[in-house]
Amino acid sequence: AQSVSQHNHHVILSEAASLELGCNYSYGGTVNLFWYVQYPGQHLQLLLKYFSGDPLVKGIKGFEAEFIKSKFSFNLRKPSVQWSDTAEYFCAVHSSNTGKLIFGQGTTLQVKP
Amino acid sequence: DAGITQSPRHKVTETGTPVTLRCHQTENHRYMYWYRQDPGHGLRLIHYSYGVKDTDKGEVSDGYSVSRSKTEDFLLTLESATSSQTSVYFCAISEGSQREKLFFGSGTQLSVL
C-alpha cells in the first residue's frame, strides 16, 4: 500500500541546533513531494516542494529538503533552529499514478530557548 | 492567506446527530478537499471535489458525505455523528489537479460526545 512515513514523532532541540526530519514514501513512479508546517493554533502552510530538477530544494525560513530517489526519501533540514520553529511538520507525497496526495503522521518539533 | 473560511470553528455535538461543516472560498479554485487531522495519523483525505457537483471519495470517506452546489462552497456532512469522528477538520483548495499548492482553512474542531 502507498504510504508516507515520518520516523520522528517528537523532536526536542535547543536553539541553534541542527535539524533533520526524516520522510520516506513507498510510491513508485513520478512523485511530487511537499513539506507543510503547522504553527501552534494555525493552519497548515507550505514550507517547500519538489517537482523536478535540482533534488536539493530551498524553502522559506531557511529550511531545505533533499530528494534522494534511490532511498525514497525527502528529509527536511535546517542548519540552526530557532524557538519560533516550534511547530508540527508534515511530509506529503503526491503520486502521478494514483493522483492521491498522502500525508505522513507528522513530527512535533519543540525548540527550547 | 487564501480566502478560505470554515464554519463553525468549534462544534460539540451528541452521538447520532447530523452535523454539517462548511467551507467557503473566494479564490474561484476548482479543487476543494476535506481532511481530518488526528494525532499519529497526520492528515487523511475524506472527500474532494474537482468541480461543481463533481466529488470523489478519499481515504476515510465512510460516515461522511459532501456536496458542492456552487464553486465557492464545499459542505461536509456527518449523517449520524460518532465519537470516532471527533477530530479537527481542515478544508483545502488548489487551483490545479496536481495539488502543487494546497491552501488550508483554519480548521473546525469537532467533538462528538
Side-chain angles (χ1 to χ4, degrees), chain A residues 32 34 36 38 43-44 46 49 51 90 94 99 101-105, chain B residues 1 35 37 40-43 59 90 98-102 104-106:
Chain A
N32 299 322
F34 306 83
Y36 283 86
Q38 186 178 25
H43 56 82
L44 280 84
L46 182 65
K49 61 185 179 184
F51 272 51
F90 293 92
H94 177 266
L101 177 67
I102 303 295
F103 284 81
Q105 308 94 316
Chain B
D1 286 348
Y35 286 89
Q37 183 183 21
H41 292 278
L43 280 89
E59 308 167 67
F90 285 97
Q98 295 302 311
R99 309 177 200 184
E100 54 269 22
K101 190 167 185 179
L102 284 178
F104 284 87
S106 301

Side-chain angles (χ1 to χ4, degrees), chain B residues 20-37:
Chain B
T20 295
L21 308 183
R22 180 177 182 244
C23 178
H24 178 80
Q25 60 143 332
T26 58
E27 305 297 318
N28 202 35
H29 283 352
R30 180 180 173 189
Y31 296 86
M32 298 185 76
Y33 313 84
W34 277 107
Y35 286 89
R36 59 178 290 175
Q37 183 183 21

Side-chain angles (χ1 to χ4, degrees), chain A residues 14-17 61 78 80-86 109 111-112:
Chain A
S14 298
E15 276 194 315
K61 302 186 181 184
K78 184 170 184 178
S80 176
V81 295
Q82 300 172 313
W83 176 80
S84 58
D85 292 325
T86 294
L109 172 65
V111 180
K112 295 184 174 180

